[in-house]
């Protein structure tokens, strides 16, 4: 007989009420995308246009509310609240903690989008600017930094603060996001349903965010790999990449958090940073530095306008649709990013955590847009490569390959880029499959991991869903899935803001005393009821032998 540790299909500890609806929904969606193929591209694009035209006000408003709430929280007396006990000290130094936050903003998506996004803004600028003008170049360099900057990073704060407060101040075990939302605590049917609904929406968001990441990046890796090896960039090559990724994902997730995923995570950061430094050094360094200095000024000048930039009158711009895409994406990543930052932040104050996210997190993303975006704009402006034409005729994967071939030692840079993206994808999907399986598990003991069946099933669904998106093709489809998957989490964010405010404005000692008094009173009522019941039964038993027989009994 095989040892149970070698049996993958071991499905214990699964919370079927959350697992079945979510995995069933995405299994159906994956089949729908695979069968529909490119015929679905126009329909998904229409959904994005509808969301941008009709719901952009809600996306914008929730981000503004969230941003103002946490800026106020950080600057107020509540910012001094320590996420831990009075004697708890930060586990990591400020630099080490900041570097880990910096690293969370780096993934394969930013390696691609930081090159391509500025080209989109250049030919379709906002604020009535003439395309390809000097002002258009200035704004194109800055606009991506807004979508990956402070507003985006503060969207990770609801989960970060709620989870950290629950774990380190209230000493609760947080396996799911719903466990950190105090207003949903309780044993009533309504509260249980609400918690399951939150977890269901969180898994949908994670699936949408990660699935679109893989679906967006596989075509880029395929195109770059084709450039390096000469292998035709066909669907067979993409399927081969999916097969390789599946082996990597499955191995990492099967072996668990430390042995599998931990080793992948430790490898990917230096590759990306090394690639960034090389581009800055061998590229137009002075042009990039001047562009970034100018972008900082434009960012500060236009921050409020961009934060409320909806299409009230006129046509929806590329910038507006991109912002809605990113706002949905950040919402979908919010639970996982919040969980990670919370786990490394014990002993820090709320102010330190929020300030560090604004500084280190934004810096991690902005640095890629400053350097890679600046380099792409330089190539376009100097007439070295017509990247806008390539983007419009061949797609964003061809743009990446064209940019990389302009670098010295281009074959090495192409290989380095492919390797970086591959490791990023392996790290991201493996980690998210593990976290999603935790969200769909029953309570796990300390050190216990979700069942292998649960973990492996999410790897399969992630890849099937991503393959479906690759089959549909088109960046519009990717944007639509992101916007749709993040949309339901708007309600979750608002509930969390209220929950955090209530936690911080309520005296924990007083609340604990009230809870203790309530539990004591409830126990007394139960004991009294039992005493009355026992007393009644005892009196009845004593009285029964002394009863006089009825007339009917006497007659008998």
């Amino acid at each position: 007989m095989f040892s149970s540790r070698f049996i993958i299909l071991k499905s214990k500890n699964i919370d079927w009420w959350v697992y079945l609806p979510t995995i069933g929904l995405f299994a159906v969606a994956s089949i729908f995308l695979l069968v529909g193929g490119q015929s679905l591209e126009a329909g998904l694009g229409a959904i994005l246009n509808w969301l941008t035209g009709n719901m952009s006000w809600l996306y914008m408003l929730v981000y503004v509310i969230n941003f103002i709430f946490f800026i106020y929280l950080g600057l107020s007396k509540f910012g001094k609240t320590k996420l831990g006990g009075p004697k708890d000290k930060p586990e990591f130094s400020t630099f080490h903690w900041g570097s880990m936050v910096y690293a969370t903003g780096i993934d394969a998506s930013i390696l691609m989008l930081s090159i391509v996004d500025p080209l989109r803004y250049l030919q379709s600028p906002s604020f009535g600017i003439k395309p390809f003008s000097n002002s258009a170049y200035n704004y194109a360099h800055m606009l991506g930094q807004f979508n990956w900057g402070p507003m985006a990073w503060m969207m990770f704060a609801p989960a970060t603060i709620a989870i950290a407060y629950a774990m380190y101040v209230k000493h609760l075990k947080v396996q799911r996001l719903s466990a950190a939302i105090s207003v949903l605590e309780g044993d009533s049917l309504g509260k249980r349903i609400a918690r399951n609904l939150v977890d269901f929406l969180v898994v949908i968001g994670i699936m949408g965010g990660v699935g679109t990441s893989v679906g967006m990046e596989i075509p880029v890796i395929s195109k770059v790999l084709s450039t390096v090896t000469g292998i035709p960039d066909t669907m067979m090559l993409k399927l081969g990449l999916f097969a390789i990724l599946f082996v990597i994902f499955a191995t990492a997730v099967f072996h668990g958090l430390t042995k599998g995923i931990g080793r992948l995570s430790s490898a990917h950061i230096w590759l990306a940073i090394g690639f960034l430094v090389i581009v800055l050094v061998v590229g137009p360094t002075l042009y990039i530095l001047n562009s970034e200095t100018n972008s900082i000024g434009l960012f500060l000048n236009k921050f409020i306008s961009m934060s409320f930039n909806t299409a009230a009158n006129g046509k929806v711009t590329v910038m507006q649709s991109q912002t809605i895409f990113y706002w949905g994406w950040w919402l979908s990543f919010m639970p996982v990013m919040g969980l990670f930052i919370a786990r490394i932040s014990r002993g820090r104050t709320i102010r330190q955590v929020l300030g560090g996210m604004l500084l280190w997190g934004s810096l991690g993303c902005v640095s890629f847009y400053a350097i890679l975006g600046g380099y792409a704009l330089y190539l376009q402006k100097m007439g070295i490569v017509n990247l806008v034409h390539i983007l419009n005729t061949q797609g964003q994967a061809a743009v990446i390959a064209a940019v990389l071939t302009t670098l010295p030692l281009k074959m090495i840079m192409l290989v380095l880029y492919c390797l970086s993206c591959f490791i990023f994808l392996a790290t991201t999907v493996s980690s998210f499959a593990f976290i999603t399986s935790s969200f769909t598990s029953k309570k796990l003991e300390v050190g216990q991991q979700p069942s292998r069946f649960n973990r492996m099933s999410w790897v399969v669904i992630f890849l099937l869903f991503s393959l479906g998106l690759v089959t549909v093709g088109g960046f519009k489809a990717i944007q639509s899935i992101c916007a749709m998957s993040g949309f339901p989490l708007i309600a979750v964010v608002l509930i969390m803001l209220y929950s955090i405010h209530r936690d911080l404005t309520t005296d924990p000692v007083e609340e604990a005393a009230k809870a203790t008094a309530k539990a004591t009173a409830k126990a007394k009522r139960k004991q009294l009821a039992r005493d009355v019941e026992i007393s009644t039964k005892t009196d009845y038993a004593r009285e029964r032998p002394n009863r006089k027989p009825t007339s009917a009994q006497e007659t008998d």
Side-chain angles (χ1 to χ4, degrees):
M1 239 183 173
F2 291 108
S3 172
S4 62
R5 74 189 189 93
F6 292 111
I7 300 175
I8 298 177
L9 302 179
K10 194 173 182 182
S11 56
K12 64 179 181 179
N13 288 335
I14 294 179
D15 188 341
W16 298 103
W17 290 102
V18 180
Y19 176 86
L20 286 178
T22 48
I23 206 163
L25 174 65
F26 277 95
V28 171
S30 301
I31 295 171
F32 181 71
L33 293 172
L34 288 168
V35 173
Q38 293 182 351
S39 64
L40 300 176
E41 184 178 356
L44 289 173
I47 293 174
L48 179 64
N49 292 336
W50 184 88
L51 286 172
T52 305
N54 295 278
M55 302 307 297
S56 58
W57 65 272
L58 183 56
Y59 281 99
M60 293 293 187
L61 199 58
V62 74
Y63 267 78
V64 170
I65 291 171
N66 181 77
F67 187 77
I68 293 174
F69 176 85
F70 283 107
I71 294 298
Y72 157 75
L73 196 65
L75 297 176
S76 70
K77 63 178 182 180
F78 302 115
K80 299 178 182 178
T81 303
K82 179 182 281 191
L83 299 171
K87 296 183 180 180
D88 284 343
K89 294 182 179 180
E91 182 180 356
F92 306 99
S93 67
T94 301
F95 178 78
H96 190 186
W97 181 86
S99 64
M100 286 191 288
V101 174
Y102 176 94
T104 61
I106 304 173
D107 68 351
S109 301
I110 199 169
L111 281 170
M112 180 190 75
L113 293 169
S114 59
I115 296 174
V116 178
D117 278 349
L119 302 173
R120 292 192 175 96
Y121 305 141
L122 178 63
Q123 59 181 322
S124 302
S126 294
F127 307 111
I129 296 170
K130 183 180 178 182
F132 300 100
S133 63
N134 287 334
S135 293
Y137 275 94
N138 291 334
Y139 277 92
H141 189 262
M142 180 272 294
L143 290 174
Q145 299 179 41
F146 171 78
N147 287 333
W148 289 71
M151 291 282 283
W153 272 88
M154 279 300 93
M155 187 44 68
F156 302 145
T160 299
I161 302 303
I163 292 172
Y165 191 87
M167 288 196 301
Y168 306 135
V169 179
K170 300 171 72 175
H171 304 291
L172 300 176
K173 182 182 176 183
V174 179
Q175 181 181 320
R176 304 177 181 181
L177 183 62
S178 61
I181 304 176
S182 60
V183 295
L184 300 183
E185 293 175 355
D187 296 326
S188 66
L189 178 61
K191 293 290 182 69
R192 292 200 303 270
I193 292 174
R195 288 196 296 270
N196 282 336
L197 180 59
V198 167
D199 295 328
F200 175 74
L201 295 177
V202 165
V203 175
I204 287 179
I206 292 173
M207 277 295 301
V210 178
T212 51
S213 292
V214 180
M216 182 167 44
E217 290 149 19
I218 284 293
V220 174
I221 297 174
S222 177
K223 182 68 176 180
V224 174
L225 191 61
S226 174
T227 304
V228 173
T229 62
I231 299 173
D233 182 17
T234 62
M235 193 63 188
M236 288 304 297
L237 178 58
K238 295 179 178 65
L239 288 173
L241 291 174
F242 270 106
I244 296 171
L245 284 173
F246 175 75
V247 173
I248 297 174
F249 299 160
T251 302
V253 174
F254 183 82
H255 286 292
L257 193 59
T258 303
K259 293 182 179 179
I261 298 169
R263 290 172 182 172
L264 281 174
S265 300
S266 62
H268 79 288
I269 298 302
W270 292 111
L271 274 173
I273 294 176
F275 178 80
L276 200 64
V277 170
I278 290 172
V279 174
L280 177 62
V281 172
V282 304
T285 308
L286 188 60
Y287 177 86
I288 291 172
L289 295 176
N290 282 329
S291 296
E292 181 56 23
T293 303
N294 186 68
S295 290
I296 293 172
L298 282 177
F299 182 91
L300 295 174
N301 185 41
K302 289 292 186 180
F303 181 76
I304 295 178
S305 298
M306 291 186 293
S307 300
F308 292 92
N309 188 19
T310 57
N313 299 289
K315 186 180 178 181
V316 174
T317 65
V318 170
M319 173 60 183
Q320 288 164 336
S321 63
Q322 283 284 97
T323 299
I324 298 305
F325 154 56
Y326 283 122
W327 278 189
W329 207 5
W330 304 140
L331 281 164
S332 67
F333 277 100
M334 177 263 296
V336 179
M337 294 289 286
L339 181 62
F340 172 76
I341 298 174
R343 285 183 171 174
I344 64 173
S345 299
R346 183 170 192 161
R348 298 189 178 275
T349 65
I350 290 177
R351 183 176 299 157
Q352 289 171 336
V353 173
L354 295 177
M357 290 170 67
L358 283 174
L359 174 63
W360 293 98
S362 298
L363 180 64
C365 296
V366 166
S367 59
F368 279 79
Y369 271 84
I371 297 173
L372 298 184
Y375 183 60
L377 289 172
Y378 174 82
L379 295 175
Q380 179 69 36
K381 187 175 181 60
M382 296 296 110
I384 299 172
V385 185
N386 191 347
L387 296 175
V388 171
H389 176 72
I390 295 174
L391 176 63
N392 295 337
T393 56
Q394 301 177 49
Q396 53 193 15
V399 170
I400 306 298
V403 169
L404 295 179
T405 53
T406 64
L407 294 169
L409 304 172
K410 64 179 182 180
M411 296 305 291
I412 295 176
M413 296 302 292
L414 286 165
V415 171
L416 179 61
Y417 184 88
C418 272
L419 187 60
S420 298
C421 288
F422 230 73
I423 295 177
F424 272 126
L425 282 179
T427 304
T428 301
V429 176
S430 302
S431 302
F432 277 58
F434 192 91
I435 291 171
T436 307
S437 62
S438 297
F439 284 166
T440 54
S441 298
K442 296 177 181 177
K443 288 186 178 181
L444 300 172
E445 300 300 326
V446 177
Q448 184 182 9
Q449 298 187 16
S451 69
R452 281 176 172 160
F453 171 81
N454 197 350
R455 283 152 31 198
M456 297 297 293
S457 63
W458 284 111
V459 170
V460 173
I461 288 296
F462 274 144
L463 291 181
L464 278 178
F465 185 67
S466 303
L467 179 59
L469 286 173
V470 171
T471 304
V472 173
F475 190 53
K476 279 277 188 181
I478 299 290
Q479 291 176 304
S480 300
I481 296 295
C482 271
M484 285 190 292
S485 61
F487 184 72
L489 289 173
I490 290 176
V492 176
V493 167
L494 295 175
I495 293 171
M496 292 181 72
L497 295 184
Y498 171 71
S499 181
I500 292 169
H501 180 266
R502 197 183 78 162
D503 284 341
L504 293 173
T505 55
T506 302
D507 185 350
V509 176
E510 183 181 338
E511 284 298 300
K514 286 181 180 178
T516 302
K518 186 177 179 180
T520 302
K522 185 176 180 180
K524 285 182 177 179
R525 288 195 298 270
K526 286 185 177 180
Q527 185 62 45
L528 180 61
R530 284 196 295 268
D531 291 344
V532 170
E533 184 180 0
I534 292 171
S535 176
T536 302
K537 289 181 177 178
T538 303
D539 291 344
Y540 179 77
R542 289 174 179 173
E543 183 182 343
R544 186 173 181 182
N546 299 326
R547 281 186 177 180
K548 293 182 179 181
T550 61
S551 56
Q553 289 173 330
E554 291 174 351
T555 304
D556 293 340

